[in-house]
Amino acid sequence: MQEAVLLLALLGATSGGEGLYLIHLPATSNVAENSPPETSVHKFSVKLSASLSPVIPGFPLIINSSPLTEVFRVRWLSGIDFEVVTTGKQQLDFETGPNIFDLQIYVKDYVGVTDLQVLTVQVTDVNEPPQFLGNLAKGLDLYIVEGTNPGFIYQVEAFDPEDTSQNILLSYFLISSSDSFRMSANGTLFSTTEFDFEEGHNSYHLVVEVRDSQGLRAATSLQVNIVNINDELPRFTSLSREYVILEELAPGTVVANITAEDPDDPGFTSFLLYSITTLNSYFMINQLTGTIQVARRLDRDAGELRQNPVISLEVLVKDRPFGGQENRMQITFLVEDINDNPATCTKFTFSIMVPERAAKRTLLLDLNTVCFDDDSEAPNSQFNFTTPSAVGSRGRFLQDPAGSGKIVLIGDLDYENPSNLAAGNKYTVTIQVQDVAHPYYKNNIYIYILTSPENEFPLVFDQPSYKFDISEIRPAGTLFGRVRATDNDFPQSSIVYSISTGGASLQYTNIFWINPKTGELKLVTKVDYETTPIYTLRIQATNNEDTNAVNVTINILEENDEKPICIPNSYFLAIPVDLKVGTNIQNFKLMCTDRDSSPRSFRYSIGPGNVNSHFTFSPNAGSNVTRLLLATHFDYTGGLDKIWDYRLLVYITDDNLLSGRKKAEALVETGTVTLSISVIPHPTTIVAMTTRPRVTHQILRKNVYSPSAWYVSFVITLGSILLLIFLVTLMVQLAKAIHRHCPCKTGKHKKPLVKKGEVKNTEGEVAVSTETIQMSTVFDGEVIDPVTGAKYEFNSKSGARKWKDPLMQMPKWKGSSPQGAAPTRALSAEETGPPRSTDKEGNGLRGTAQAEDAGPGSRPQDGKPGAPKNRDPALTSRASHKPHPAE
């Protein structure tokens, strides 16, 4: 209220005292609980302002309520008169509250003058009659199943709105009169009788009243419905219980018709459902009509019907699919036999195998043991046999006694008999089996009699043993022989050949293969006379009855298929240039062996490489040991010889002892030996050489990079730069050293022949300079220097040499620095040459060539007499070049 007064004061200040206000407000009014909509609560008027400005349509109105509610609204009456009425949106209930509402009513005209007043509405209590709970207030349908015992039906519940604690006692009364129901004072409804739907008592209408202590009352209706149930059993109306039927009735044939009725609904038989409760597969019933039909074949002669032709069934009738009433009835069917099966046998085609030496009167087949009639009763089950017809048997078979079905042998069945062979040892007998009752069914029986051959003759090979020869050079897959076995028994069965023992080696489990069908022998792999000259095989032949074996000897024919083998297979020799003709070069000899040739069958010849025929072998045939001799002297001075290094390919053949006829047929094998021979010139000979330094760098790289190590990339880059600088420096120093030691031409040719760091050959190609330094040289030769008379040692393979006296000094290069140059290195075999004569200063005197090689035994330059033709032109300088004194 204080808030409303403050708001009024503010509005009054705003209006400026022009006089618009609400008449009869503020005020307090009452309204009864549960008042219907549009109930008048309070009337008031509006006093217009001095300017007589009308109120804006829609005003006055309730702008706020405490508590909030939509129960009230302002309704215009006429002119300036208004009233507050209920809306019906909410129910006013004194007992549940709220009971007091403060409504703020606000008015405004077109000039903008406003006023606000408060209307207090109090809810007053009204005495209310009792009320039924829930749907019971509008009436309720109750259902009782017929046949239910008298007793409790329903509990009626009501309440008094005036008493929230429900302590006020209410009284209940059954207004409608009925002998079938009664109600207690607390509202319990009971039945007093058992209801029967079929007697016509379908439903009852009851009125129930409740009263409070002041006499206020309320009423409601109860509709009690009696639920019909099926309480009567169906009754069968068909009288027959036993039926006689024939077997083999077609499926679907009607054999019985079961009928029934329901006493509860005698006029509605269509509601009855029929079924057969007995488990069977012969009959089925129509569940709506009760018609029983054949479901599958009724075979009186097989299965359970053969022993018991009576089928008992229980038929069930129900008045609804689920639940309801039902009744049962037993019926039986007697299945009668008919002659519907002909006489039959387990099979109508028989194949009988009879040994060829079977005795006469031997019983071959008794048809009574295999033939029968499936009909269950005589005479339908009786049969006999007709006279057999034995076309082609020529009196060999007979039915004895006649009509008995017993087939006996009366003739000869020797398998090898020509007449039996003509017939193929196969015979056919035809006989009929026939019923003795109508309609006299019959069936033909075919009997095929086959003569079974017996093992009368053994399996034998056409030879007691076999012997085959095969050359050791024949390839795998070669056919070299055949074995053959026969059996005089007929029919001729296939024979299978196999190697039972023999024909194995350390490397192969089977060296020979035999065709299992033809007996042909073939090689699986090549044979070797020197390893095994003779093989003995045990070959087995097998057919369906017998097994026999025979020995096979295989002789391996020796052939000249082994190459001579000589030692040493390759060798290096060094000889002085002036070696005497006929000398055994360094006492070298070949020792040869051949697994399939005698020591006297060898022949020796030298193939490519023996230029000018300087070398020969002695003896050149007839021995397994031969020596290498110098056949002709060397002539380098006259220019006949130009090669200093010889590579000989020696052929050793094993055909020395072959006659003229035998040579055309036999094989010849050839072995080879490679000999390398270097001719050592005189040690004083000087040949200008160009050194070829060779530098080999081997770099081992190992990746140890880790992504987490940031410094690895930096270290690798820095190391690579330093290594590159080092290699460039090394190459510059190497080029300078080569330039200092290479001979340079004086006179016109001021320009160097090749670029710095390169050596150019005679064909204009640049050869890479390399240097090979040999350590720990082994000196295997010794020569006397013809100039000094001193001895020096040399290596026959590399050409390196040194004075034998350690105090001797090798001659220095002409024009070398007087302060002492670096000692001369040992030259390799490619840089050495034959000894030459020198002048007093140590210069070469042959031709106009002057050499700067200070070592003994220097070779001549290319292009001069005695120089090897196959030397690399890049290794020597021009012959006419003379070293400059400054060098």
Side-chain angles (χ1 to χ4, degrees):
M1 292 295 294
Q2 293 178 356
E3 293 176 357
V5 172
L6 289 175
L7 183 59
L8 250 161
L10 289 174
L11 291 173
T14 305
S15 64
E18 294 183 358
L20 176 67
Y21 59 89
L22 297 171
I23 302 175
H24 306 303
L25 288 174
T28 301
S29 296
N30 297 325
V31 62
E33 65 174 330
N34 301 324
S35 295
E38 303 300 324
T39 301
S40 177
V41 179
H42 179 74
K43 296 181 179 180
F44 65 93
S45 301
V46 177
K47 176 66 173 71
L48 300 178
S49 62
S51 61
L52 299 178
S53 175
V55 177
I56 297 175
F59 290 91
L61 54 80
I62 299 173
I63 62 173
N64 194 12
S65 65
S66 178
L68 292 174
T69 183
E70 295 182 356
V71 177
F72 307 99
R73 70 178 180 88
V74 177
R75 182 173 64 180
W76 177 72
L77 296 177
S78 62
I80 59 174
D81 297 327
F82 300 89
E83 69 174 344
V84 176
V85 297
T86 58
T87 61
K89 292 183 179 180
Q90 295 179 1
Q91 187 71 24
L92 293 173
D93 190 355
F94 181 83
E95 286 75 23
T96 60
N99 297 328
I100 299 177
F101 298 91
D102 290 331
L103 306 179
Q104 297 178 3
I105 300 176
Y106 176 67
V107 64
K108 182 179 181 181
D109 61 8
Y110 282 102
V111 178
V113 180
T114 62
D115 191 14
L116 177 67
Q117 299 295 334
V118 176
L119 174 64
T120 301
V121 179
Q122 295 182 351
V123 180
T124 60
D125 187 21
V126 177
N127 187 18
E128 300 173 274
Q131 297 180 9
F132 289 99
L133 294 176
N135 294 331
L136 185 60
K138 300 178 181 180
L140 193 65
D141 287 335
L142 301 178
Y143 295 90
I144 302 175
V145 177
E146 68 169 326
T148 303
N149 294 329
F152 172 80
I153 298 177
Y154 186 72
Q155 177 66 49
V156 179
E157 294 182 356
F159 70 96
D160 191 344
E162 301 299 324
D163 185 12
T164 57
S165 62
Q166 295 297 321
N167 293 324
I168 299 178
L169 295 178
L170 300 178
S171 300
Y172 298 89
F173 302 93
L174 188 61
I175 303 301
S176 58
S177 59
S178 176
D179 297 336
S180 301
F181 302 94
R182 70 179 180 87
M183 178 170 285
S184 64
N186 63 354
T188 304
L189 179 64
F190 297 91
S191 63
T192 59
T193 184
E194 182 178 329
F195 301 100
D196 188 358
F197 185 85
E198 285 75 22
E199 292 182 359
H201 302 290
N202 299 333
S203 64
Y204 299 87
H205 184 75
L206 304 178
V207 178
V208 179
E209 186 178 80
V210 60
R211 302 173 188 173
D212 61 6
S213 59
Q214 298 181 4
L216 295 179
R217 65 186 64 187
T220 187
S221 62
L222 297 177
Q223 184 72 27
V224 181
N225 300 304
I226 307 303
V227 179
N228 184 25
I229 62 174
N230 188 13
D231 55 353
E232 296 291 336
L233 295 178
R235 298 185 182 94
F236 288 99
T237 59
S238 56
L239 301 178
S240 178
R241 298 292 188 269
E242 295 181 358
Y243 302 89
V244 178
I245 61 175
L246 297 177
E247 66 167 331
E248 302 297 342
L249 293 177
T253 303
V254 177
V255 294
N257 190 18
I258 307 300
T259 58
E261 65 178 3
D262 189 355
D264 290 331
D265 273 326
F268 297 93
T269 58
S270 61
F271 292 116
L272 296 178
L273 301 176
Y274 299 89
S275 62
I276 298 176
T277 60
T278 306
L279 182 63
N280 85 102
S281 59
Y282 295 107
F283 303 100
M284 61 182 179
I285 189 170
N286 188 313
Q287 64 175 354
L288 298 179
T289 64
T291 301
I292 298 179
Q293 298 171 300
V294 176
R296 75 178 180 94
R297 178 187 177 192
L298 292 167
D299 190 359
R300 174 67 174 79
D301 309 312
E304 58 187 10
L305 294 181
R306 186 178 185 90
Q307 303 298 329
N308 183 17
V310 178
I311 302 175
S312 297
L313 301 177
E314 182 185 70
V315 179
L316 172 68
V317 60
K318 298 176 65 175
D319 54 11
R320 62 183 60 185
F322 304 100
Q325 299 295 327
E326 62 183 37
N327 200 355
R328 301 170 187 267
M329 179 180 67
Q330 292 286 336
I331 62 174
T332 58
F333 290 95
L334 176 62
V335 182
E336 289 187 346
D337 180 44
I338 63 173
N339 187 17
D340 59 331
N341 292 309
T344 185
C345 302
T346 55
K347 55 183 179 178
F348 293 98
T349 301
F350 296 89
S351 294
I352 302 175
M353 189 71 67
V354 182
E356 61 175 323
R357 291 185 290 182
K360 293 183 178 180
R361 313 304 300 182
T362 299
L363 177 63
L364 304 181
L365 177 64
D366 187 357
L367 294 176
N368 288 289
T369 60
V370 295
C371 296
F372 58 92
D373 194 324
D374 282 337
D375 290 313
S376 58
E377 297 178 359
N380 297 334
S381 59
Q382 296 176 347
F383 59 89
N384 56 21
F385 298 94
T386 63
T387 302
S389 61
V391 178
S393 64
R394 295 184 181 179
R396 294 182 176 89
F397 311 102
L398 181 67
Q399 182 179 192
D400 187 26
S404 65
K406 296 181 179 181
I407 310 301
V408 296
L409 175 66
I410 60 173
D412 179 21
L413 295 180
D414 184 12
Y415 200 95
E416 288 76 27
N417 189 320
S419 63
N420 292 334
L421 286 175
N425 288 294
K426 299 177 182 179
Y427 313 97
T428 302
V429 176
T430 304
I431 194 171
Q432 285 185 338
V433 57
Q434 183 176 356
D435 282 348
V436 298
H438 183 79
Y440 309 108
Y441 292 114
K442 64 177 64 175
N443 280 313
N444 290 331
I445 300 175
Y446 301 95
I447 304 172
Y448 299 97
I449 302 175
L450 307 177
T451 302
S452 173
E454 297 185 5
N455 187 18
E456 300 176 290
F457 303 97
L459 178 66
V460 294
F461 284 91
D462 57 359
Q463 296 182 23
S465 63
Y466 295 88
K467 184 179 293 184
F468 302 107
D469 296 333
I470 184 171
S471 172
E472 65 175 328
I473 64 173
R474 301 302 297 171
T478 300
L479 174 65
F480 62 88
R482 179 180 179 182
V483 298
R484 185 173 181 270
T486 56
D487 187 350
N488 292 330
D489 286 312
F490 284 94
Q492 294 288 337
S493 58
S494 60
I495 300 175
V496 178
Y497 301 91
S498 62
I499 300 176
S500 58
T501 59
S505 66
L506 296 177
Q507 295 181 346
Y508 300 95
T509 57
N510 293 301
I511 298 178
F512 307 98
W513 175 81
I514 188 169
N515 190 314
K517 295 182 178 180
T518 64
E520 295 177 341
L521 287 167
K522 293 184 179 180
L523 284 177
V524 175
T525 182
K526 290 186 65 175
V527 292
D528 187 10
Y529 173 85
E530 288 72 26
T531 302
T532 305
I534 298 176
Y535 292 91
T536 300
L537 308 181
R538 186 71 173 172
I539 295 181
Q540 179 176 287
T542 304
N543 58 12
N544 296 331
E545 299 170 344
D546 289 338
T547 299
N548 199 0
V550 68
N551 291 330
V552 177
T553 301
I554 303 173
N555 297 319
I556 308 303
L557 301 180
E558 182 183 11
E559 299 287 350
N560 186 21
D561 61 337
E562 299 286 343
K563 293 183 180 181
I565 300 175
C566 300
I567 55 173
N569 183 260
S570 62
Y571 202 73
F572 177 83
L573 301 170
I575 61 175
V577 69
D578 55 354
L579 184 67
K580 183 179 179 181
V581 174
T583 303
N584 182 191
I585 299 174
Q586 290 190 4
N587 293 323
F588 177 82
K589 63 180 178 180
L590 282 179
M591 301 184 65
C592 301
T593 58
D594 193 333
R595 296 178 61 186
D596 53 12
S597 300
S598 68
R600 297 185 300 105
S601 63
F602 297 109
R603 184 189 303 274
Y604 307 92
S605 62
I606 302 176
N610 191 10
V611 180
N612 295 331
S613 301
H614 286 297
F615 308 98
T616 186
F617 280 94
S618 178
N620 62 358
S623 175
N624 66 325
V625 179
T626 183
R627 288 172 172 78
L628 180 65
L629 304 180
L630 182 65
T632 60
H633 65 84
F634 298 101
D635 184 7
Y636 293 100
T637 304
L640 178 62
D641 292 317
K642 298 181 180 181
I643 298 176
W644 295 89
D645 296 318
Y646 292 87
R647 184 175 179 85
L648 306 183
L649 184 62
V650 182
Y651 298 104
I652 302 96
T653 59
D654 53 6
D655 61 344
N656 182 40
L657 298 181
L658 296 177
S659 63
R661 183 182 60 82
K662 193 175 181 181
K663 286 182 182 179
E665 299 176 357
L667 297 175
V668 176
E669 297 293 338
T670 302
T672 58
V673 173
T674 303
L675 299 179
S676 298
I677 303 176
S678 291
V679 181
I680 307 301
H682 294 293
T684 55
T685 303
I686 299 175
V687 179
M689 306 298 293
T690 301
T691 61
R692 293 193 302 164
R694 177 179 298 169
V695 180
T696 302
H697 300 279
Q698 183 176 3
I699 300 173
L700 177 63
R701 294 181 176 89
K702 184 177 181 182
N703 183 14
V704 295
Y705 174 73
S706 175
S708 61
W710 61 269
Y711 52 84
V712 173
S713 303
F714 172 75
V715 173
I716 293 176
T717 304
L718 181 60
S720 301
I721 294 174
L722 295 177
L723 179 61
L724 181 61
I725 295 174
F726 171 73
L727 293 176
V728 171
T729 304
L730 181 63
M731 294 301 294
V732 171
Q733 295 297 328
L734 181 61
K736 289 181 179 180
I738 294 174
H739 180 70
R740 284 197 303 269
H741 294 288
C742 70
C744 300
K745 187 173 182 180
T746 59
K748 297 179 182 180
H749 302 283
K750 300 293 179 93
K751 296 175 66 177
L753 296 179
V754 296
K755 294 180 180 180
K756 186 176 181 180
E758 297 179 351
V759 178
K760 200 166 188 179
N761 58 16
T762 56
E763 297 177 359
E765 298 177 353
V766 178
V768 179
S769 300
T770 58
E771 178 181 12
T772 302
I773 301 174
Q774 299 182 354
M775 306 299 294
S776 301
T777 304
V778 177
F779 300 96
D780 55 0
E782 182 177 308
V783 179
I784 299 177
D785 187 6
V787 178
T788 62
K791 294 183 179 180
Y792 67 89
E793 297 176 337
F794 67 91
N795 188 293
S796 60
K797 294 184 178 180
S798 65
R801 48 198 174 276
K802 71 174 183 178
W803 295 111
K804 191 172 184 179
D805 186 359
L807 298 179
M808 290 289 294
Q809 299 292 328
M810 302 296 288
K812 296 184 177 296
W813 292 79
K814 181 179 168 128
S816 61
S817 174
Q819 284 81 11
T824 305
R825 62 180 176 84
L827 299 180
S828 63
E830 293 180 354
E831 296 172 322
T832 59
R836 300 285 183 91
S837 61
T838 59
D839 58 9
K840 296 179 180 181
E841 296 178 355
N843 297 327
L845 301 179
R846 182 183 295 269
T848 59
Q850 300 208 0
E852 294 180 320
D853 190 348
S858 299
R859 293 188 179 180
Q861 300 175 353
D862 291 343
K864 298 298 180 178
K869 293 181 180 180
N870 57 353
R871 288 185 49 82
D872 188 354
L875 301 178
T876 60
S877 64
R878 297 182 61 178
S880 60
H881 175 66
K882 185 175 182 181
H884 196 275
E887 298 178 355

